[in-house]
Amino acid sequence: MLAPPRPWAVPRRAALLACLLLAAACGRRVESDSTEAVGSASVRHVRTCQWLDWENTSCRVDSVMTAGSRRIEGVYSTSASPHGELVHVNLLHGDSLLIDTRSGAVRATLPAQSSVKEWCGDAELVLSSHPGPTGESGDSHLEHLWLEHGTEVHRATVYRGPRHVPRVLCGPEHTVALVLSTLHEGPPIDLLRWSADQGLQTVETWPGDVQGGSASDLVLSWTGAGRPDWCARSRPYSLGTCVPPARPAVPH
């Protein structure tokens, strides 16, 4: 015959059970653990949820980058250069960074939550960022950045103002072609060329609306003479048809 539990054992077991439940409620379980290569660097993504959260409403993903000997926590998003030599890193908190994926060296500190509009190569990019506290919330801010000799950083503002920038294309000799439109990508729609020495220059204005589309349907290119050009994709896109703007006939 089993002896009845001692009077002090019941509350002790209840307290132990309560502690175990509390620990389970406060602890987190690993839902997934994956690693992606970003050039020579790697980013580990670990998704965890609270133990007693069966509906997964408490889940979060913690991402950590390892580049060379550098460890960067709180990674939100990344954008690598064409050959993965540099990577633009957005952090959950604080400034964005331009990182050398081999050494982990910080090549530039950039505005928080900025994004790469266009990579021009492994040492050059066009960056889009939100303006500072004095800017309008709808303003666009486009910046050109390139590295000379791998470490010397050159930065310049390409455009800052109220107009939308739906298209950007890198050009020769550190130039940039860009399209400016209204916020809803309607007219006036302008094609511009930017260079560090000549600044922003208007090349052409699209005549009225883009037929059957918007400014995002425009395709930019460069002529052999180093002049930006453009055309509009026409539906169905599968045909690959691109129509130039209507231009006045050139007299012979």
Side-chain angles (χ1 to χ4, degrees), residues 152-221:
E152 186 180 343
V153 180
H154 300 265
R155 295 174 65 172
T157 295
V158 175
Y159 173 76
R160 184 168 191 161
R163 302 184 70 187
H164 183 48
V165 188
R167 289 293 181 195
V168 168
L169 182 65
C170 303
E173 304 292 332
H174 308 301
T175 55
V176 177
L178 63 150
V179 171
L180 295 182
S181 70
T182 63
L183 186 61
H184 300 290
E185 301 192 356
I189 303 172
D190 296 317
L191 173 64
L192 299 99
R193 177 188 184 274
W194 176 89
S195 64
D197 55 341
Q198 297 179 354
L200 203 58
Q201 298 174 313
T202 300
V203 176
E204 191 174 17
T205 298
W206 192 273
D209 293 299
V210 175
Q211 190 66 32
S214 67
S216 289
D217 292 303
L218 296 171
V219 178
L220 302 184
S221 61

Side-chain angles (χ1 to χ4, degrees), residues 116-184:
V116 176
K117 194 77 171 176
E118 183 92 356
W119 280 101
C120 312
D122 279 303
E124 185 175 359
L125 68 150
V126 179
L127 192 74
S128 176
S129 62
H130 299 293
T134 59
E136 296 287 340
S137 58
D139 279 2
S140 299
H141 185 198
L142 215 62
E143 188 176 4
H144 178 262
L145 184 149
W146 66 283
L147 276 68
E148 190 173 16
H149 309 304
T151 57
E152 186 180 343
V153 180
H154 300 265
R155 295 174 65 172
T157 295
V158 175
Y159 173 76
R160 184 168 191 161
R163 302 184 70 187
H164 183 48
V165 188
R167 289 293 181 195
V168 168
L169 182 65
C170 303
E173 304 292 332
H174 308 301
T175 55
V176 177
L178 63 150
V179 171
L180 295 182
S181 70
T182 63
L183 186 61
H184 300 290

Side-chain angles (χ1 to χ4, degrees), residues 4 10 18 30 33 37 44 63 69 86 90 101 109 145 155 161 168 179 199 204 223 227 231 245 251-252:
V10 174
V30 176
D33 188 338
R44 184 184 180 190
S63 299
S69 60
L86 293 176
N90 265 329
T101 63
T109 300
L145 184 149
R155 295 174 65 172
V168 168
V179 171
E204 191 174 17
T223 67
R227 183 180 186 274
C231 60
H252 297 288

Side-chain angles (χ1 to χ4, degrees), residues 12-24:
R12 186 174 180 178
R13 289 173 186 170
L16 180 60
L17 180 60
C19 289
L20 290 174
L21 289 174
L22 183 62

